Amino acid sequence: MAASTVIPINVGHIDDVQELRKTKPTTIPERFVRDVTERPTTLDSTTTTLSSPHTDIPIIDLSKLVNGNPDDFQSEILNLTTACQEWGFFQVVNHGIDLSLLESIEKVAKDFFMLPIEEKQKYPMAPGTIQGYGQAFIFSENQKLDWCNMFALGIEPDFIRRPELWPSKPADFNETLESYSREVRKLCQKLLKYIAVSVGLKEDVFEEMFGVAVQAVRMNYYPPCSRPDLVMGLSPHSDGSAITVLQQDKGSYVGLQILNDNTWVSVQPIPNALVINIGDSIEVLTNGKYKSVEHRAVIHKEKDRLSIVTFYAPSYEIEMGPIPELVDENNPCKYKRYNHGEYSKHYVTNKLRGKKNLDFAKI
């Protein structure tokens, strides 16, 4: 299609939630107020009754997989299988990333969000795109908005980078993000190796298949809101990635919730752990044995929250479909073959809407 025929997306007026928070409005602007059926079910995120001790999401000790004895390795692989099959989410401890680096990335991300709005708006997220500062996945002027500011950047491969969106302040932002992203990339490669083993495949199957994997980071800042019962921090969705690595800031409220057995379960942050979730690509490749899971973010009346999310996905050129070894008469093929770039395009040009985007791949 010729560039001149592209219809611009009208997203209407989008309030910056940090600026809104400063004015302490007595009423929440209508675009942030959710329909009754979409509202979080708890009035106060600190007193949620959805997460009791028996619903804590699984914890995987990566050191037992990387250098444990055979018994430790086997038992941790079984834990990983359960985590991927029953939850689609787990927290990883002893992940090998220097804790000082986790602190540094958290600090530069927070410092960025605390800059004056004029500074942050030098790196705007244009309507219909997913890099820069603003709100992603907005496609119409009447679409409900999340109570969240985002700053997102493409990391790998080089051609997805938008250098003009990398900020000059804080001064150490870019260097810290580069170091952090290198370490997270290594972690993703290790995790995919063990996820392959846990599903009965040879360990390098995903690495060989993915080509130069696509990696992007999104920082989410959730200011407090006087009516957290009316708003959503981040709409329910599953991720279009293979796996996603989420770092939650320490000492904040419990804001991440995942859908398990039709119940929203709060993910209690564990100090120095990273939260991992299975994305749509792994669901397709494992023929639904491991499923991506809907998750969302809720808001607090008085506390703010920061999360740093890394998405790791197959190269855009890759043809995707269930791995033949995971298809048989008891497990017939559930997904068609498709180009991953086409799916990514489909994902980023639709609003977040649970797992509906994955319908694209279903037979």
Side-chain angles (χ1 to χ4, degrees), residues 23-55:
T23 64
K24 297 224 161 94
T26 44
T27 57
I28 306 300
E30 195 53 40
R31 280 195 80 180
F32 292 96
V33 176
R34 294 290 172 145
D35 298 337
V36 175
T37 54
E38 292 182 350
R39 290 176 192 173
T41 42
T42 53
L43 286 174
D44 180 350
S45 316
T46 56
T47 57
T48 177
T49 53
L50 295 176
S51 185
S52 53
H54 67 274
T55 56

mmCIF file of all heavy atoms in Angstrom, residues 23-55:
data_model
loop_
_atom_site.group_PDB
_atom_site.id
_atom_site.type_symbol
_atom_site.label_atom_id
_atom_site.label_comp_id
_atom_site.label_asym_id
_atom_site.label_seq_id
_atom_site.Cartn_x
_atom_site.Cartn_y
_atom_site.Cartn_z
ATOM 1 N N THR A 23 -2.589 16.750 39.608
ATOM 2 C CA THR A 23 -3.733 17.659 39.797
ATOM 3 C C THR A 23 -4.751 17.099 40.785
ATOM 4 O O THR A 23 -5.687 17.791 41.180
ATOM 5 C CB THR A 23 -4.448 17.931 38.449
ATOM 6 O OG1 THR A 23 -4.995 16.687 37.964
ATOM 7 C CG2 THR A 23 -3.498 18.496 37.411
ATOM 8 N N LYS A 24 -4.550 15.826 41.193
ATOM 9 C CA LYS A 24 -5.458 15.150 42.137
ATOM 10 C C LYS A 24 -6.942 15.403 41.785
ATOM 11 O O LYS A 24 -7.691 16.020 42.548
ATOM 12 C CB LYS A 24 -5.172 15.603 43.568
ATOM 13 C CG LYS A 24 -3.772 15.247 44.057
ATOM 14 C CD LYS A 24 -3.824 14.707 45.479
ATOM 15 C CE LYS A 24 -2.567 13.924 45.820
ATOM 16 N NZ LYS A 24 -1.524 14.635 46.458
ATOM 17 N N PRO A 25 -7.381 14.942 40.618
ATOM 18 C CA PRO A 25 -8.776 15.213 40.213
ATOM 19 C C PRO A 25 -9.760 14.539 41.161
ATOM 20 O O PRO A 25 -9.486 13.461 41.681
ATOM 21 C CB PRO A 25 -8.860 14.594 38.806
ATOM 22 C CG PRO A 25 -7.803 13.541 38.785
ATOM 23 C CD PRO A 25 -6.700 14.037 39.680
ATOM 24 N N THR A 26 -10.891 15.186 41.390
ATOM 25 C CA THR A 26 -11.900 14.592 42.276
ATOM 26 C C THR A 26 -12.628 13.460 41.567
ATOM 27 O O THR A 26 -13.110 12.524 42.191
ATOM 28 C CB THR A 26 -12.926 15.664 42.734
ATOM 29 O OG1 THR A 26 -13.281 16.441 41.584
ATOM 30 C CG2 THR A 26 -12.346 16.561 43.803
ATOM 31 N N THR A 27 -12.713 13.565 40.235
ATOM 32 C CA THR A 27 -13.309 12.451 39.485
ATOM 33 C C THR A 27 -12.283 11.957 38.468
ATOM 34 O O THR A 27 -11.451 12.721 37.972
ATOM 35 C CB THR A 27 -14.587 12.877 38.737
ATOM 36 O OG1 THR A 27 -14.257 13.969 37.883
ATOM 37 C CG2 THR A 27 -15.684 13.291 39.696
ATOM 38 N N ILE A 28 -12.350 10.678 38.160
ATOM 39 C CA ILE A 28 -11.437 10.063 37.195
ATOM 40 C C ILE A 28 -11.970 10.348 35.791
ATOM 41 O O ILE A 28 -13.157 10.121 35.529
ATOM 42 C CB ILE A 28 -11.364 8.524 37.426
ATOM 43 C CG1 ILE A 28 -11.000 8.201 38.877
ATOM 44 C CG2 ILE A 28 -10.389 7.856 36.456
ATOM 45 C CD1 ILE A 28 -9.681 8.725 39.357
ATOM 46 N N PRO A 29 -11.126 10.836 34.865
ATOM 47 C CA PRO A 29 -11.611 11.057 33.492
ATOM 48 C C PRO A 29 -12.257 9.797 32.914
ATOM 49 O O PRO A 29 -11.778 8.678 33.129
ATOM 50 C CB PRO A 29 -10.338 11.431 32.724
ATOM 51 C CG PRO A 29 -9.414 11.982 33.755
ATOM 52 C CD PRO A 29 -9.704 11.211 35.016
ATOM 53 N N GLU A 30 -13.342 10.006 32.196
ATOM 54 C CA GLU A 30 -14.178 8.918 31.691
ATOM 55 C C GLU A 30 -13.402 7.845 30.930
ATOM 56 O O GLU A 30 -13.713 6.653 31.035
ATOM 57 C CB GLU A 30 -15.277 9.527 30.793
ATOM 58 C CG GLU A 30 -16.439 8.608 30.476
ATOM 59 C CD GLU A 30 -17.105 7.987 31.702
ATOM 60 O OE1 GLU A 30 -17.271 8.676 32.727
ATOM 61 O OE2 GLU A 30 -17.426 6.795 31.623
ATOM 62 N N ARG A 31 -12.373 8.247 30.172
ATOM 63 C CA ARG A 31 -11.656 7.258 29.346
ATOM 64 C C ARG A 31 -10.893 6.229 30.180
ATOM 65 O O ARG A 31 -10.485 5.191 29.669
ATOM 66 C CB ARG A 31 -10.674 7.947 28.386
ATOM 67 C CG ARG A 31 -11.348 8.498 27.161
ATOM 68 C CD ARG A 31 -10.359 8.840 26.077
ATOM 69 N NE ARG A 31 -9.922 7.682 25.323
ATOM 70 C CZ ARG A 31 -9.052 7.745 24.314
ATOM 71 N NH1 ARG A 31 -8.536 8.904 23.962
ATOM 72 N NH2 ARG A 31 -8.679 6.652 23.662
ATOM 73 N N PHE A 32 -10.686 6.534 31.462
ATOM 74 C CA PHE A 32 -9.982 5.582 32.332
ATOM 75 C C PHE A 32 -10.945 4.716 33.139
ATOM 76 O O PHE A 32 -10.541 3.721 33.722
ATOM 77 C CB PHE A 32 -9.058 6.334 33.301
ATOM 78 C CG PHE A 32 -7.890 6.998 32.631
ATOM 79 C CD1 PHE A 32 -7.937 8.341 32.279
ATOM 80 C CD2 PHE A 32 -6.741 6.277 32.327
ATOM 81 C CE1 PHE A 32 -6.866 8.967 31.654
ATOM 82 C CE2 PHE A 32 -5.659 6.886 31.701
ATOM 83 C CZ PHE A 32 -5.724 8.227 31.355
ATOM 84 N N VAL A 33 -12.224 5.127 33.185
ATOM 85 C CA VAL A 33 -13.196 4.396 34.007
ATOM 86 C C VAL A 33 -13.691 3.172 33.245
ATOM 87 O O VAL A 33 -14.261 3.287 32.161
ATOM 88 C CB VAL A 33 -14.382 5.309 34.406
ATOM 89 C CG1 VAL A 33 -15.431 4.514 35.188
ATOM 90 C CG2 VAL A 33 -13.888 6.500 35.211
ATOM 91 N N ARG A 34 -13.453 2.009 33.819
ATOM 92 C CA ARG A 34 -13.808 0.756 33.160
ATOM 93 C C ARG A 34 -15.286 0.433 33.276
ATOM 94 O O ARG A 34 -15.929 0.796 34.263
ATOM 95 C CB ARG A 34 -13.008 -0.399 33.787
ATOM 96 C CG ARG A 34 -11.519 -0.293 33.542
ATOM 97 C CD ARG A 34 -11.247 -0.543 32.084
ATOM 98 N NE ARG A 34 -9.879 -0.275 31.725
ATOM 99 C CZ ARG A 34 -9.205 -0.976 30.818
ATOM 100 N NH1 ARG A 34 -9.790 -1.957 30.176
ATOM 101 N NH2 ARG A 34 -7.964 -0.656 30.521
ATOM 102 N N ASP A 35 -15.785 -0.296 32.283
ATOM 103 C CA ASP A 35 -17.140 -0.835 32.397
ATOM 104 C C ASP A 35 -17.165 -1.755 33.619
ATOM 105 O O ASP A 35 -16.152 -2.358 33.967
ATOM 106 C CB ASP A 35 -17.509 -1.642 31.141
ATOM 107 C CG ASP A 35 -17.510 -0.758 29.897
ATOM 108 O OD1 ASP A 35 -17.671 0.468 30.047
ATOM 109 O OD2 ASP A 35 -17.319 -1.289 28.787
ATOM 110 N N VAL A 36 -18.323 -1.877 34.220
ATOM 111 C CA VAL A 36 -18.440 -2.630 35.475
ATOM 112 C C VAL A 36 -17.837 -4.030 35.354
ATOM 113 O O VAL A 36 -17.119 -4.493 36.254
ATOM 114 C CB VAL A 36 -19.924 -2.714 35.917
ATOM 115 C CG1 VAL A 36 -20.075 -3.598 37.148
ATOM 116 C CG2 VAL A 36 -20.449 -1.318 36.211
ATOM 117 N N THR A 37 -18.045 -4.696 34.224
ATOM 118 C CA THR A 37 -17.552 -6.077 34.064
ATOM 119 C C THR A 37 -16.025 -6.136 33.962
ATOM 120 O O THR A 37 -15.432 -7.192 34.142
ATOM 121 C CB THR A 37 -18.137 -6.721 32.792
ATOM 122 O OG1 THR A 37 -17.846 -5.857 31.686
ATOM 123 C CG2 THR A 37 -19.625 -6.934 32.915
ATOM 124 N N GLU A 38 -15.389 -5.009 33.653
ATOM 125 C CA GLU A 38 -13.933 -5.009 33.458
ATOM 126 C C GLU A 38 -13.166 -4.504 34.672
ATOM 127 O O GLU A 38 -11.953 -4.462 34.677
ATOM 128 C CB GLU A 38 -13.567 -4.110 32.263
ATOM 129 C CG GLU A 38 -14.022 -4.655 30.928
ATOM 130 C CD GLU A 38 -13.588 -3.747 29.777
ATOM 131 O OE1 GLU A 38 -13.106 -2.616 30.037
ATOM 132 O OE2 GLU A 38 -13.728 -4.176 28.626
ATOM 133 N N ARG A 39 -13.889 -4.099 35.699
ATOM 134 C CA ARG A 39 -13.208 -3.515 36.857
ATOM 135 C C ARG A 39 -12.532 -4.584 37.706
ATOM 136 O O ARG A 39 -13.022 -5.714 37.796
ATOM 137 C CB ARG A 39 -14.207 -2.735 37.726
ATOM 138 C CG ARG A 39 -14.676 -1.476 37.031
ATOM 139 C CD ARG A 39 -15.749 -0.746 37.830
ATOM 140 N NE ARG A 39 -16.347 0.289 36.981
ATOM 141 C CZ ARG A 39 -17.397 1.016 37.308
ATOM 142 N NH1 ARG A 39 -17.985 0.824 38.488
ATOM 143 N NH2 ARG A 39 -17.875 1.923 36.474
ATOM 144 N N PRO A 40 -11.405 -4.205 38.350
ATOM 145 C CA PRO A 40 -10.777 -5.183 39.255
ATOM 146 C C PRO A 40 -11.758 -5.509 40.382
ATOM 147 O O PRO A 40 -12.548 -4.652 40.779
ATOM 148 C CB PRO A 40 -9.536 -4.469 39.787
ATOM 149 C CG PRO A 40 -9.607 -3.065 39.317
ATOM 150 C CD PRO A 40 -10.705 -2.937 38.300
ATOM 151 N N THR A 41 -11.701 -6.727 40.883
ATOM 152 C CA THR A 41 -12.716 -7.157 41.852
ATOM 153 C C THR A 41 -12.365 -6.782 43.275
ATOM 154 O O THR A 41 -13.109 -7.054 44.195
ATOM 155 C CB THR A 41 -12.897 -8.687 41.760
ATOM 156 O OG1 THR A 41 -11.613 -9.272 41.633
ATOM 157 C CG2 THR A 41 -13.759 -9.073 40.600
ATOM 158 N N THR A 42 -11.185 -6.190 43.502
ATOM 159 C CA THR A 42 -10.813 -5.812 44.860
ATOM 160 C C THR A 42 -10.691 -4.300 44.935
ATOM 161 O O THR A 42 -10.189 -3.660 44.030
ATOM 162 C CB THR A 42 -9.469 -6.445 45.254
ATOM 163 O OG1 THR A 42 -8.523 -6.114 44.251
ATOM 164 C CG2 THR A 42 -9.566 -7.939 45.386
ATOM 165 N N LEU A 43 -11.124 -3.745 46.057
ATOM 166 C CA LEU A 43 -11.063 -2.296 46.226
ATOM 167 C C LEU A 43 -9.660 -1.840 46.576
ATOM 168 O O LEU A 43 -9.262 -0.738 46.285
ATOM 169 C CB LEU A 43 -12.026 -1.866 47.344
ATOM 170 C CG LEU A 43 -13.505 -1.905 46.966
ATOM 171 C CD1 LEU A 43 -14.367 -1.614 48.162
ATOM 172 C CD2 LEU A 43 -13.791 -0.906 45.853
ATOM 173 N N ASP A 44 -8.914 -2.698 47.248
ATOM 174 C CA ASP A 44 -7.584 -2.297 47.696
ATOM 175 C C ASP A 44 -6.623 -3.421 47.373
ATOM 176 O O ASP A 44 -6.748 -4.517 47.891
ATOM 177 C CB ASP A 44 -7.624 -2.033 49.202
ATOM 178 C CG ASP A 44 -6.272 -1.614 49.750
ATOM 179 O OD1 ASP A 44 -5.259 -1.703 49.020
ATOM 180 O OD2 ASP A 44 -6.232 -1.205 50.903
ATOM 181 N N SER A 45 -5.632 -3.125 46.535
ATOM 182 C CA SER A 45 -4.724 -4.168 46.059
ATOM 183 C C SER A 45 -3.914 -4.808 47.188
ATOM 184 O O SER A 45 -3.322 -5.852 47.014
ATOM 185 C CB SER A 45 -3.763 -3.584 45.030
ATOM 186 O OG SER A 45 -4.451 -2.772 44.139
ATOM 187 N N THR A 46 -3.870 -4.160 48.368
ATOM 188 C CA THR A 46 -3.081 -4.745 49.462
ATOM 189 C C THR A 46 -3.889 -5.809 50.189
ATOM 190 O O THR A 46 -3.336 -6.627 50.900
ATOM 191 C CB THR A 46 -2.656 -3.677 50.486
ATOM 192 O OG1 THR A 46 -3.836 -3.023 50.958
ATOM 193 C CG2 THR A 46 -1.702 -2.678 49.887
ATOM 194 N N THR A 47 -5.205 -5.794 50.038
ATOM 195 C CA THR A 47 -6.021 -6.716 50.819
ATOM 196 C C THR A 47 -6.717 -7.734 49.918
ATOM 197 O O THR A 47 -7.750 -8.254 50.258
ATOM 198 C CB THR A 47 -7.095 -5.952 51.617
ATOM 199 O OG1 THR A 47 -7.878 -5.190 50.691
ATOM 200 C CG2 THR A 47 -6.483 -5.033 52.638
ATOM 201 N N THR A 48 -6.137 -7.965 48.767
ATOM 202 C CA THR A 48 -6.772 -8.919 47.856
ATOM 203 C C THR A 48 -6.900 -10.288 48.514
ATOM 204 O O THR A 48 -5.997 -10.742 49.206
ATOM 205 C CB THR A 48 -6.003 -9.023 46.540
ATOM 206 O OG1 THR A 48 -6.642 -10.021 45.746
ATOM 207 C CG2 THR A 48 -4.555 -9.408 46.721
ATOM 208 N N THR A 49 -8.048 -10.917 48.295
ATOM 209 C CA THR A 49 -8.272 -12.244 48.869
ATOM 210 C C THR A 49 -7.988 -13.326 47.830
ATOM 211 O O THR A 49 -8.229 -14.489 48.058
ATOM 212 C CB THR A 49 -9.736 -12.376 49.318
ATOM 213 O OG1 THR A 49 -10.561 -12.017 48.206
ATOM 214 C CG2 THR A 49 -10.053 -11.472 50.480
ATOM 215 N N LEU A 50 -7.486 -12.900 46.663
ATOM 216 C CA LEU A 50 -7.339 -13.869 45.577
ATOM 217 C C LEU A 50 -6.097 -14.733 45.723
ATOM 218 O O LEU A 50 -5.997 -15.780 45.132
ATOM 219 C CB LEU A 50 -7.283 -13.133 44.231
ATOM 220 C CG LEU A 50 -8.553 -12.395 43.839
ATOM 221 C CD1 LEU A 50 -8.333 -11.637 42.546
ATOM 222 C CD2 LEU A 50 -9.697 -13.364 43.682
ATOM 223 N N SER A 51 -5.107 -14.232 46.483
ATOM 224 C CA SER A 51 -3.863 -14.990 46.567
ATOM 225 C C SER A 51 -3.657 -15.499 47.982
ATOM 226 O O SER A 51 -3.360 -14.742 48.888
ATOM 227 C CB SER A 51 -2.681 -14.102 46.165
ATOM 228 O OG SER A 51 -1.516 -14.872 46.144
ATOM 229 N N SER A 52 -3.881 -16.794 48.164
ATOM 230 C CA SER A 52 -3.617 -17.404 49.467
ATOM 231 C C SER A 52 -2.371 -18.271 49.320
ATOM 232 O O SER A 52 -1.944 -18.546 48.203
ATOM 233 C CB SER A 52 -4.832 -18.227 49.881
ATOM 234 O OG SER A 52 -5.162 -19.131 48.858
ATOM 235 N N PRO A 53 -1.777 -18.723 50.431
ATOM 236 C CA PRO A 53 -0.501 -19.451 50.329
ATOM 237 C C PRO A 53 -0.491 -20.593 49.309
ATOM 238 O O PRO A 53 0.481 -20.799 48.618
ATOM 239 C CB PRO A 53 -0.291 -19.981 51.748
ATOM 240 C CG PRO A 53 -1.022 -19.003 52.620
ATOM 241 C CD PRO A 53 -2.192 -18.514 51.813
ATOM 242 N N HIS A 54 -1.614 -21.316 49.168
ATOM 243 C CA HIS A 54 -1.607 -22.457 48.254
ATOM 244 C C HIS A 54 -1.701 -22.036 46.787
ATOM 245 O O HIS A 54 -1.621 -22.874 45.906
ATOM 246 C CB HIS A 54 -2.708 -23.461 48.613
ATOM 247 C CG HIS A 54 -4.091 -22.933 48.408
ATOM 248 N ND1 HIS A 54 -4.763 -22.206 49.363
ATOM 249 C CD2 HIS A 54 -4.927 -23.017 47.340
ATOM 250 C CE1 HIS A 54 -5.951 -21.869 48.907
ATOM 251 N NE2 HIS A 54 -6.083 -22.347 47.681
ATOM 252 N N THR A 55 -1.901 -20.739 46.532
ATOM 253 C CA THR A 55 -1.958 -20.318 45.132
ATOM 254 C C THR A 55 -0.719 -19.531 44.714
ATOM 255 O O THR A 55 -0.704 -18.895 43.682
ATOM 256 C CB THR A 55 -3.209 -19.468 44.839
ATOM 257 O OG1 THR A 55 -3.222 -18.351 45.727
ATOM 258 C CG2 THR A 55 -4.480 -20.259 44.983
#
